[in-house]
Amino acid sequence: MNQWDAVIVGAGAAGLFCAGVAGQRGLKVLVLDHSDKIAEKIRISGGGRCNFTNRLLDASAPQKHFIGQNPQFCRSALSRYTPQDFIDLVQKHGIAFHEKHKGQLFCDHSADDIIRMLLAECEAGGVTLKMGCAVQAVRLLADGSYELDTTQGPVQTKSLVVATGGLSIPKIGATGWGYELATQFGLRLVERRAGLVPLTFDGAAWAPYAQLAGLALPVGISTGDKKTRMHFDEDLLFTHRGLSGPGVLQISSYWQEGSPIRLNLAPEVNLPERLQDAKLRSKKLLGNELATLVPSRLAEAWVSQDPALQRTSAEVPDKALNKLAETLSNWTLTPTGSEGYKKAEVTLGGVDTRDLSSQTMESKQSGLYFIGEVVDVTGWLGGYNFQWAWASGHACATALASQRFPQHRNSGAK
């Protein structure tokens, strides 16, 4: 029987990072993954450059950037392993990176740099990695340890760490195994749904806008009312089936099925004022004037739907002009759905944080830990989910080491 201090199921961001930290603290660690390819979600993230953290993360107020039934749950781990801690590790490995807008950090070269770094950290900790190794069954033994039946033989461990991610992007191997294991051991689950995902609209209703596919522009986007209202100022992308881009991905995590979203397609412009000014001063077609305020394809799409707007600016009735300004400033539409897990960047919901320790990530089932996306903690677009992977993995590894070597409990090492 293969005996281990810790077995980690899932060779993604959270699993590999946890393994490296635990291994370097003296634990005998095994990482298993059913896929033949390692860390595919890291590899494809950030357009292949991995948005690995965000400088703006405020660990004292995680609810600003994280979603879940208890968004405060992640505060402990995030405050003990910060974006700067991970940046220090990236710099230690000589990885060049740059900051885009709103604190987002990306590799200069490739997401593969982060994968190689994580593997180097695992190697430094003597971690054993088995890819293409699926877990077929898990049993709790009389002494409190766990026995795993795998496609590469039986394994026994004192501590079992689940880092299997969520349901998003099944084509790279996402499964619900972590949720099934949580249920097996009596842990509660929060309903799962696709997050950070493009939104879709009915084909007939969307037909006038399908011609805008590929058009991107900065917008204000919101959903919800009063206490539940969320708003983002980000870019929007029109697609053949609906809307995507950073703004839509952000709002999708807060959008509820059947609810509308509201778009300001010209957030930097006072449209009523500018259109009235054009009416008074311009002899050009309204569509030409509008094209100086919003992208020309957008202007054409709106003007073409109303004959009253297909005139010179001076000839357009005030009522039609005011309606145009209101529509572009507060376009209210209800998505029929989303692109689902196949295009979602994350999975909302997961293992209920009420059944986990925010300090150690251990569940109420002794010796069983859950880290990363499988937990009901979901970050905004922009590196927040990776930082949760690093922080939750670090919290778990620290706890594993302190149990194995109590004398190191207060070492404080990163």
Side-chain angles (χ1 to χ4, degrees), residues 329-392:
S329 300
N330 190 27
W331 188 26
T332 302
L333 61 171
T334 301
T336 52
S338 78
E339 293 284 5
Y341 290 119
K342 69 180 183 293
K343 291 193 177 178
E345 295 197 12
V346 293
T347 303
L348 295 159
V351 178
D352 197 321
T353 56
R354 291 177 296 176
D355 291 342
L356 302 177
S357 163
S358 62
Q359 292 287 318
T360 66
M361 306 307 296
E362 187 175 17
S363 72
K364 64 181 184 180
Q365 170 62 51
S366 180
L368 180 61
Y369 299 74
F370 291 83
I371 60 175
E373 188 183 347
V374 73
V375 178
D376 178 32
V377 173
T378 304
W380 284 7
L381 189 73
Y384 294 100
N385 287 295
F386 272 127
Q387 187 59 35
W388 168 242
W390 318 136
S392 60

Coordinates of all heavy atoms in Angstrom, one line a residue, residues 329-392:
S329 N -28.5 55.0 -23.5 CA -27.9 55.3 -22.2 C -28.4 54.3 -21.2 O -27.8 54.0 -20.1 CB -28.3 56.7 -21.7 OG -27.8 57.7 -22.5
N330 N -29.6 53.6 -21.5 CA -30.2 52.7 -20.5 C -30.9 51.6 -21.3 O -32.1 51.4 -21.1 CB -31.2 53.4 -19.6 CG -31.6 52.5 -18.4 OD1 -30.9 51.6 -18.0 ND2 -32.8 52.8 -18.0
W331 N -30.1 50.9 -22.1 CA -30.6 49.8 -22.9 C -30.9 48.6 -22.0 O -30.0 48.0 -21.4 CB -29.6 49.4 -24.0 CG -30.1 48.4 -25.0 CD1 -31.4 48.2 -25.3 CD2 -29.3 47.5 -25.8 NE1 -31.5 47.2 -26.3 CE2 -30.2 46.8 -26.6 CE3 -27.9 47.3 -25.8 CZ2 -29.8 45.8 -27.5 CZ3 -27.5 46.3 -26.7 CH2 -28.4 45.6 -27.5
T332 N -32.2 48.3 -21.8 CA -32.6 47.2 -20.9 C -33.0 46.0 -21.7 O -33.9 46.1 -22.5 CB -33.8 47.7 -20.0 OG1 -33.3 48.9 -19.3 CG2 -34.2 46.6 -19.0
L333 N -32.4 44.9 -21.4 CA -32.7 43.7 -22.2 C -32.5 42.5 -21.3 O -31.7 42.5 -20.3 CB -31.9 43.5 -23.4 CG -30.4 43.5 -23.4 CD1 -29.8 43.1 -24.8 CD2 -29.7 44.8 -22.9
T334 N -33.3 41.4 -21.5 CA -33.3 40.2 -20.7 C -32.6 39.0 -21.4 O -33.2 38.6 -22.4 CB -34.7 39.8 -20.2 OG1 -35.2 41.0 -19.5 CG2 -34.7 38.6 -19.3
P335 N -31.5 38.6 -21.0 CA -30.9 37.4 -21.6 C -31.8 36.2 -21.5 O -32.5 36.0 -20.5 CB -29.6 37.2 -20.8 CG -29.3 38.5 -20.1 CD -30.7 39.1 -19.9
T336 N -31.7 35.3 -22.5 CA -32.5 34.1 -22.4 C -31.7 33.0 -21.7 O -32.2 32.0 -21.3 CB -32.9 33.6 -23.8 OG1 -31.7 33.6 -24.6 CG2 -33.9 34.5 -24.4
G337 N -30.4 33.2 -21.6 CA -29.5 32.2 -20.9 C -28.1 32.6 -21.0 O -27.7 33.8 -21.3
S338 N -27.2 31.7 -20.9 CA -25.7 31.9 -21.0 C -25.2 30.8 -21.9 O -25.8 29.8 -22.3 CB -25.1 31.9 -19.6 OG -24.9 30.6 -19.2
E339 N -23.9 31.0 -22.2 CA -23.2 29.9 -23.0 C -22.9 28.7 -22.2 O -22.4 27.7 -22.7 CB -21.9 30.5 -23.6 CG -22.1 31.6 -24.6 CD -22.6 31.0 -26.0 OE1 -22.8 29.8 -26.1 OE2 -22.7 31.8 -26.9
G340 N -23.1 28.7 -20.9 CA -23.0 27.6 -20.0 C -21.6 27.2 -19.7 O -20.6 28.0 -20.0
Y341 N -21.4 26.0 -19.1 CA -20.1 25.6 -18.6 C -19.0 25.5 -19.7 O -17.8 25.7 -19.5 CB -20.2 24.3 -17.9 CG -20.9 24.4 -16.6 CD1 -22.1 23.7 -16.3 CD2 -20.4 25.2 -15.6 CE1 -22.7 23.8 -15.1 CE2 -21.0 25.3 -14.3 CZ -22.2 24.6 -14.1 OH -22.8 24.7 -12.9
K342 N -19.5 25.3 -21.0 CA -18.5 25.1 -22.0 C -17.6 26.3 -22.3 O -16.5 26.3 -22.7 CB -19.1 24.6 -23.3 CG -20.0 25.7 -24.0 CD -20.6 25.1 -25.3 CE -21.5 26.1 -26.1 NZ -22.7 26.5 -25.3
K343 N -18.2 27.5 -21.9 CA -17.5 28.8 -22.1 C -17.3 29.6 -20.8 O -16.7 30.7 -20.8 CB -18.1 29.6 -23.2 CG -18.0 29.1 -24.6 CD -18.4 30.1 -25.6 CE -18.2 29.5 -27.0 NZ -18.6 30.5 -28.1
A344 N -17.8 29.0 -19.7 CA -17.7 29.7 -18.4 C -16.2 29.6 -17.9 O -15.6 28.6 -18.0 CB -18.6 29.1 -17.4
E345 N -15.7 30.7 -17.3 CA -14.4 30.7 -16.8 C -14.3 30.0 -15.4 O -13.3 29.6 -14.9 CB -13.8 32.1 -16.8 CG -13.6 32.6 -18.2 CD -12.6 33.8 -18.2 OE1 -12.0 34.1 -17.2 OE2 -12.6 34.5 -19.2
V346 N -15.5 30.1 -14.7 CA -15.5 29.6 -13.3 C -16.9 28.9 -13.1 O -17.8 29.1 -13.8 CB -15.3 30.7 -12.3 CG1 -13.9 31.2 -12.3 CG2 -16.3 31.8 -12.4
T347 N -17.0 28.2 -11.9 CA -18.2 27.7 -11.5 C -18.6 28.4 -10.2 O -17.9 28.4 -9.2 CB -18.1 26.2 -11.2 OG1 -17.7 25.5 -12.4 CG2 -19.4 25.6 -10.8
L348 N -19.8 29.0 -10.2 CA -20.3 29.6 -8.9 C -20.9 28.5 -8.1 O -21.3 27.4 -8.5 CB -21.5 30.5 -9.3 CG -21.1 31.8 -10.1 CD1 -22.3 32.4 -10.8 CD2 -20.4 32.8 -9.1
G349 N -20.9 28.7 -6.7 CA -21.4 27.7 -5.8 C -20.3 26.6 -5.5 O -19.1 26.9 -5.8
G350 N -20.7 25.5 -4.9 CA -19.7 24.5 -4.6 C -19.8 24.0 -3.2 O -20.9 24.1 -2.6
V351 N -18.7 23.5 -2.6 CA -18.8 23.0 -1.2 C -19.1 24.2 -0.3 O -18.4 25.2 -0.3 CB -17.4 22.4 -0.9 CG1 -17.5 21.9 0.6 CG2 -17.1 21.2 -1.8
D352 N -20.1 24.0 0.5 CA -20.6 25.0 1.4 C -19.5 25.4 2.5 O -19.0 24.5 3.2 CB -21.9 24.5 2.1 CG -22.7 25.5 2.8 OD1 -22.1 26.5 3.4 OD2 -23.9 25.4 2.7
T353 N -19.2 26.6 2.5 CA -18.2 27.1 3.5 C -18.6 26.9 4.9 O -17.7 26.9 5.8 CB -17.8 28.6 3.2 OG1 -19.0 29.4 3.3 CG2 -17.2 28.7 1.8
R354 N -19.8 26.7 5.2 CA -20.2 26.4 6.6 C -19.7 25.1 7.1 O -19.5 24.8 8.3 CB -21.8 26.3 6.7 CG -22.5 27.7 6.5 CD -24.0 27.5 6.6 NE -24.5 26.7 5.5 CZ -25.8 26.4 5.3 NH1 -26.6 26.8 6.2 NH2 -26.1 25.7 4.3
D355 N -19.3 24.2 6.2 CA -18.7 22.9 6.5 C -17.2 22.9 6.4 O -16.6 21.8 6.5 CB -19.3 21.8 5.6 CG -20.8 21.6 5.9 OD1 -21.3 22.0 7.0 OD2 -21.5 21.0 5.1
L356 N -16.6 24.1 6.3 CA -15.1 24.1 6.1 C -14.6 25.1 7.2 O -15.2 26.1 7.5 CB -14.7 24.6 4.7 CG -15.2 23.8 3.5 CD1 -14.7 24.5 2.2 CD2 -14.6 22.4 3.6
S357 N -13.3 24.9 7.5 CA -12.6 25.9 8.4 C -11.9 26.9 7.5 O -11.2 26.6 6.6 CB -11.5 25.1 9.2 OG -10.6 26.1 9.7
S358 N -12.2 28.2 7.8 CA -11.6 29.2 7.0 C -10.1 29.3 7.3 O -9.3 29.9 6.5 CB -12.2 30.6 7.3 OG -12.1 30.9 8.7
Q359 N -9.6 28.8 8.4 CA -8.2 28.8 8.8 C -7.4 27.7 8.1 O -6.3 28.0 7.6 CB -8.1 28.6 10.3 CG -8.6 29.8 11.1 CD -7.7 31.0 11.1 OE1 -6.5 30.9 11.1 NE2 -8.3 32.2 10.9
T360 N -8.0 26.5 7.9 CA -7.2 25.4 7.5 C -7.8 24.8 6.2 O -7.1 23.9 5.6 CB -7.2 24.3 8.5 OG1 -8.6 23.8 8.7 CG2 -6.7 24.8 9.9
M361 N -9.0 25.1 5.8 CA -9.7 24.5 4.7 C -10.1 23.0 4.9 O -10.6 22.3 4.0 CB -8.9 24.6 3.4 CG -8.4 26.0 3.0 SD -9.8 27.2 3.0 CE -10.8 26.6 1.7
E362 N -10.0 22.6 6.2 CA -10.4 21.2 6.5 C -11.9 21.2 6.7 O -12.5 22.2 7.2 CB -9.7 20.8 7.8 CG -10.0 19.3 8.2 CD -9.3 18.8 9.4 OE1 -8.8 19.7 10.2 OE2 -9.2 17.6 9.6
S363 N -12.5 20.2 6.2 CA -14.0 20.0 6.3 C -14.4 19.5 7.7 O -13.5 19.1 8.5 CB -14.5 19.1 5.2 OG -14.2 17.8 5.5
K364 N -15.6 19.4 8.0 CA -16.1 18.8 9.2 C -15.8 17.4 9.3 O -15.9 16.7 10.4 CB -17.6 19.1 9.5 CG -18.5 18.5 8.4 CD -20.0 18.8 8.7 CE -20.9 18.1 7.8 NZ -22.3 18.4 8.0
Q365 N -15.5 16.8 8.1 CA -15.0 15.4 8.1 C -13.5 15.5 8.3 O -12.7 15.9 7.4 CB -15.3 14.8 6.7 CG -14.7 13.4 6.5 CD -15.1 12.4 7.5 OE1 -16.3 12.2 7.7 NE2 -14.1 11.7 8.0
S366 N -13.0 15.0 9.4 CA -11.6 15.2 9.8 C -10.7 14.6 8.7 O -10.9 13.5 8.2 CB -11.3 14.4 11.1 OG -10.0 14.6 11.5
G367 N -9.6 15.3 8.4 CA -8.6 14.9 7.4 C -9.0 15.1 6.0 O -8.2 14.8 5.1
L368 N -10.2 15.7 5.7 CA -10.6 15.9 4.3 C -10.7 17.4 4.1 O -11.4 18.2 4.8 CB -12.0 15.3 4.1 CG -12.6 15.4 2.7 CD1 -11.8 14.8 1.7 CD2 -14.1 14.8 2.7
Y369 N -9.9 17.9 3.1 CA -9.8 19.3 2.8 C -10.3 19.7 1.4 O -10.2 18.8 0.5 CB -8.3 19.7 2.9 CG -7.7 19.5 4.2 CD1 -7.3 18.2 4.7 CD2 -7.4 20.6 5.1 CE1 -6.7 18.0 5.9 CE2 -6.8 20.4 6.3 CZ -6.4 19.1 6.7 OH -5.8 18.9 7.9
F370 N -10.8 20.9 1.2 CA -11.2 21.4 -0.1 C -10.6 22.7 -0.3 O -10.7 23.6 0.5 CB -12.7 21.4 -0.1 CG -13.4 20.1 -0.1 CD1 -13.6 19.5 1.1 CD2 -13.8 19.5 -1.3 CE1 -14.3 18.2 1.2 CE2 -14.5 18.3 -1.2 CZ -14.7 17.6 0.0
I371 N -10.0 22.9 -1.5 CA -9.4 24.2 -1.8 C -9.7 24.6 -3.3 O -10.1 23.7 -4.1 CB -7.8 24.1 -1.7 CG1 -7.2 23.0 -2.6 CG2 -7.5 23.9 -0.2 CD1 -5.7 22.9 -2.6
G372 N -9.6 25.9 -3.6 CA -9.7 26.4 -4.9 C -11.2 26.5 -5.3 O -12.1 26.7 -4.5
E373 N -11.4 26.3 -6.6 CA -12.7 26.5 -7.2 C -13.8 25.6 -6.8 O -15.0 25.9 -6.8 CB -12.6 26.4 -8.8 CG -13.8 26.9 -9.5 CD -13.7 26.7 -11.0 OE1 -12.5 26.4 -11.5 OE2 -14.7 26.8 -11.7
V374 N -13.5 24.4 -6.3 CA -14.5 23.5 -5.8 C -15.3 24.0 -4.6 O -16.4 23.6 -4.3 CB -13.9 22.1 -5.4 CG1 -13.0 22.2 -4.1 CG2 -14.9 21.0 -5.4
V375 N -14.7 25.0 -3.9 CA -15.4 25.7 -2.8 C -16.3 26.8 -3.2 O -16.1 27.4 -4.3 CB -14.3 26.2 -1.8 CG1 -14.9 26.9 -0.6 CG2 -13.3 25.1 -1.4
D376 N -17.3 27.1 -2.4 CA -18.2 28.2 -2.8 C -17.6 29.5 -2.5 O -18.0 30.3 -1.7 CB -19.5 28.0 -1.9 CG -20.5 29.2 -2.2 OD1 -20.5 29.7 -3.3 OD2 -21.2 29.6 -1.3
V377 N -16.5 29.8 -3.3 CA -15.8 31.1 -3.3 C -15.5 31.4 -4.7 O -14.8 30.6 -5.4 CB -14.5 31.1 -2.4 CG1 -13.8 32.4 -2.6 CG2 -14.8 30.8 -1.0
T378 N -16.0 32.4 -5.3 CA -15.8 32.8 -6.7 C -15.4 34.2 -6.8 O -16.1 35.1 -6.3 CB -17.1 32.6 -7.5 OG1 -17.5 31.2 -7.4 CG2 -16.8 32.8 -9.0
G379 N -14.3 34.5 -7.5 CA -13.8 35.8 -7.6 C -14.2 36.5 -8.9 O -14.7 35.9 -9.8
W380 N -14.0 37.8 -8.9 CA -14.2 38.6 -10.1 C -13.2 38.1 -11.2 O -12.2 37.5 -10.9 CB -14.0 40.0 -9.9 CG -15.1 40.7 -9.1 CD1 -16.2 40.1 -8.6 CD2 -15.2 42.1 -8.9 NE1 -17.0 41.1 -8.0 CE2 -16.4 42.3 -8.1 CE3 -14.5 43.2 -9.2 CZ2 -16.8 43.6 -7.7 CZ3 -14.9 44.5 -8.8 CH2 -16.0 44.7 -8.1
L381 N -13.5 38.5 -12.4 CA -12.6 38.5 -13.5 C -11.4 39.4 -13.2 O -11.5 40.4 -12.5 CB -13.2 39.0 -14.8 CG -12.5 38.8 -16.1 CD1 -12.5 37.4 -16.5 CD2 -13.1 39.7 -17.2
G382 N -10.2 38.9 -13.5 CA -9.0 39.8 -13.3 C -8.0 39.3 -12.4 O -7.2 40.1 -11.8
G383 N -7.8 38.0 -12.2 CA -6.8 37.4 -11.4 C -7.2 37.0 -10.0 O -6.4 36.4 -9.2
Y384 N -8.5 37.3 -9.6 CA -8.9 37.1 -8.2 C -9.1 35.6 -8.0 O -8.8 35.1 -6.9 CB -10.2 37.8 -8.0 CG -10.0 39.3 -8.0 CD1 -10.4 40.1 -9.1 CD2 -9.5 40.0 -6.9 CE1 -10.2 41.4 -9.1 CE2 -9.3 41.3 -6.9 CZ -9.7 42.1 -8.0 OH -9.5 43.4 -8.0
N385 N -9.6 34.8 -9.0 CA -9.7 33.4 -8.7 C -8.4 32.6 -8.6 O -8.3 31.7 -7.8 CB -10.6 32.8 -9.9 CG -12.0 33.2 -9.7 OD1 -12.7 32.8 -8.8 ND2 -12.5 34.0 -10.7
F386 N -7.4 33.1 -9.3 CA -6.1 32.5 -9.1 C -5.5 32.8 -7.8 O -5.0 31.9 -7.1 CB -5.1 33.0 -10.2 CG -5.1 32.1 -11.5 CD1 -5.3 32.7 -12.7 CD2 -5.0 30.7 -11.4 CE1 -5.3 31.9 -13.9 CE2 -5.0 29.9 -12.5 CZ -5.2 30.6 -13.8
Q387 N -5.8 34.0 -7.3 CA -5.3 34.4 -6.0 C -6.0 33.5 -4.9 O -5.3 33.1 -3.9 CB -5.4 35.9 -5.7 CG -4.8 36.3 -4.4 CD -3.3 36.0 -4.3 OE1 -2.6 36.1 -5.3 NE2 -2.8 35.6 -3.1
W388 N -7.2 33.2 -5.1 CA -7.9 32.3 -4.2 C -7.3 30.9 -4.2 O -7.2 30.3 -3.2 CB -9.4 32.3 -4.5 CG -10.1 31.2 -3.7 CD1 -10.8 30.1 -4.3 CD2 -10.3 31.0 -2.3 NE1 -11.3 29.3 -3.3 CE2 -11.0 29.9 -2.1 CE3 -9.8 31.8 -1.2 CZ2 -11.3 29.4 -0.8 CZ3 -10.1 31.3 0.1 CH2 -10.8 30.2 0.3
A389 N -6.9 30.5 -5.4 CA -6.3 29.2 -5.5 C -5.0 29.2 -4.7 O -4.7 28.2 -3.9 CB -6.0 28.8 -7.0
W390 N -4.2 30.2 -4.9 CA -2.9 30.2 -4.2 C -3.1 30.3 -2.6 O -2.5 29.6 -1.9 CB -2.0 31.4 -4.6 CG -2.0 31.7 -6.1 CD1 -2.0 33.0 -6.6 CD2 -1.8 30.8 -7.2 NE1 -1.9 32.9 -8.0 CE2 -1.7 31.6 -8.4 CE3 -1.6 29.4 -7.3 CZ2 -1.6 31.0 -9.6 CZ3 -1.5 28.9 -8.5 CH2 -1.4 29.7 -9.7
A391 N -4.0 31.2 -2.2 CA -4.3 31.5 -0.8 C -4.9 30.3 -0.1 O -4.5 29.9 1.0 CB -5.1 32.7 -0.6
S392 N -5.9 29.7 -0.7 CA -6.5 28.5 -0.1 C -5.6 27.3 -0.1 O -5.5 26.5 0.9 CB -7.8 28.1 -0.8 OG -7.6 27.8 -2.2

